Amino acid sequence: MTVEIQRRGLMLVLSSPSGAGKSTLARWLLKTDPDLTMSVSATTRSPRPGEVDGREYHFKDIEDFLRMVQQDEFLEHAVVFGNHYGTPKQPVFDALAAGRDVLFDIDWQGTQQLRQQARDDVVSIFVLPPSREELERRLRGRAEDPPDVIAKRMAKADGEISHWAEYDYVVVNDDVARAQEQVRVILQAERLKRERQPGLVRFVDGLMRPEAN
Ligand SMILES: Nc1nc2c(ncn2[C@@H]2O[C@H](COP(=O)(O)OP(=O)(O)O)[C@@H](O)[C@H]2O)c(=O)[nH]1
Ligand SMILES: [Mg+2]
């Protein structure tokens, strides 16, 4: 018999400097975990080759983005590398209400705002590269971005990394399979937290006083 206990959805945040392998982790999680929904952010940056509007991001011009800010449509928003990024509220609320967990690929500024909005529901993981050399190598290996953008990101990586201690968990991504397993285990444990299982009250009541149920 499989016992299904009603669960409260959580908000899983992955942050890292560019090139630490966070996107690979996020893609794997979404593919392997049917209870997880990706939060698709809005951004004013231009799409890269292969990126599809509505899949990687909702690509907006600055006027549209600022209108969304004005109309309070974002759960959080921030400027990263000179572009605006924001998390649309409604899809997150809808997913949580449907009992699903939501995955966020956002920076430290967004994580701080999310924590202020929904502290108990946020589980945050910071992904670190195994070494500075490897981080540089991964940034260079990406053909999409011009060298000046890469140099800018390398400089900004230190700023992002300096926020590591604000996160609940830290995963060093030296081996992809190992990092995947670590993130999976974190998610599993966080889902089992008592306060995330409101259905337990009823379930345990039934265990102890079967005649009353
Ligand atoms: N605060 C915030 N940050 C975001 C959001 N969406 C993406 N980011 C962050 O913006 C940074 C740049 O993302 P992106 O343009 O995809 O370039 P990447 O560095 O190659 O991943 C990354 O650190 C993302 O985590 C968002 O909605 N809010
Ligand atoms: Mg990204």
Side-chain angles (χ1 to χ4, degrees):
M1 184 183 73
T2 310
V3 178
E4 284 284 348
I5 293 179
Q6 189 219 332
R7 206 163 63 69
R8 175 186 171 88
L10 60 78
M11 300 158 95
L12 183 68
V13 176
L14 285 182
S15 295
S16 74
S18 191
K22 173 186 51 179
S23 307
T24 311
L25 272 175
R27 267 200 301 275
W28 176 82
L29 270 176
L30 290 165
K31 204 173 68 193
T32 54
D33 193 318
D35 292 338
L36 209 52
T37 300
M38 186 78 203
S39 164
V40 179
S41 296
T43 183
T44 58
R45 88 150 159 76
S46 310
R48 296 177 187 147
E51 286 184 331
V52 175
D53 186 36
R55 190 179 66 186
E56 280 78 13
Y57 286 102
H58 301 288
F59 295 99
K60 304 281 178 193
D61 56 31
I62 183 76
E63 290 77 20
D64 279 348
F65 191 96
L66 294 178
R67 184 191 49 75
M68 289 175 78
V69 172
Q70 204 72 51
Q71 296 179 354
D72 199 27
E73 289 179 30
F74 290 126
L75 207 48
E76 61 75 33
H77 60 94
V79 174
V80 189
F81 311 129
N83 293 305
H84 294 266
Y85 293 84
T87 303
K89 253 182 206 173
Q90 202 53 50
V92 175
F93 291 162
D94 290 349
L96 291 175
R100 301 177 59 75
D101 302 313
V102 183
L103 179 63
F104 300 82
D105 171 348
I106 59 176
D107 81 331
W108 62 271
Q109 306 174 79
T111 308
Q112 285 187 354
Q113 293 175 49
L114 216 58
R115 214 178 282 118
Q116 279 159 18
Q117 306 265 347
R119 181 173 304 274
D120 294 344
D121 296 329
V122 175
V123 176
S124 60
I125 306 178
F126 200 88
V127 183
L128 285 172
S131 67
R132 191 158 190 88
E133 290 67 34
E134 179 61 16
L135 180 62
E136 269 194 60
R137 204 187 61 76
R138 287 181 195 172
L139 285 180
R140 276 184 220 295
R142 264 193 213 177
E144 309 104 273
D145 297 311
D148 60 320
V149 172
I150 294 173
K152 200 167 141 193
R153 289 210 168 131
M154 202 57 213
K156 297 268 179 170
D158 293 338
E160 186 74 24
I161 290 174
S162 71
H163 290 273
W164 70 276
E166 297 162 22
Y167 285 72
D168 299 321
Y169 298 93
V170 178
V171 167
V172 178
N173 191 9
D174 49 357
D175 175 79
V176 178
R178 214 179 78 147
Q180 287 171 343
E181 177 61 11
Q182 289 173 346
V183 170
R184 194 183 66 80
V185 167
I186 291 167
L187 186 54
Q188 211 168 30
E190 289 288 343
R191 282 172 172 161
L192 288 173
K193 279 199 165 158
R194 178 171 35 77
E195 60 268 32
R196 296 223 169 87
Q197 301 188 83
L200 275 179
V201 175
R202 202 197 158 89
F203 176 71
V204 175
D205 204 40
L207 280 180
M208 294 173 70
R209 301 190 309 130
E211 70 286 353
N213 279 269

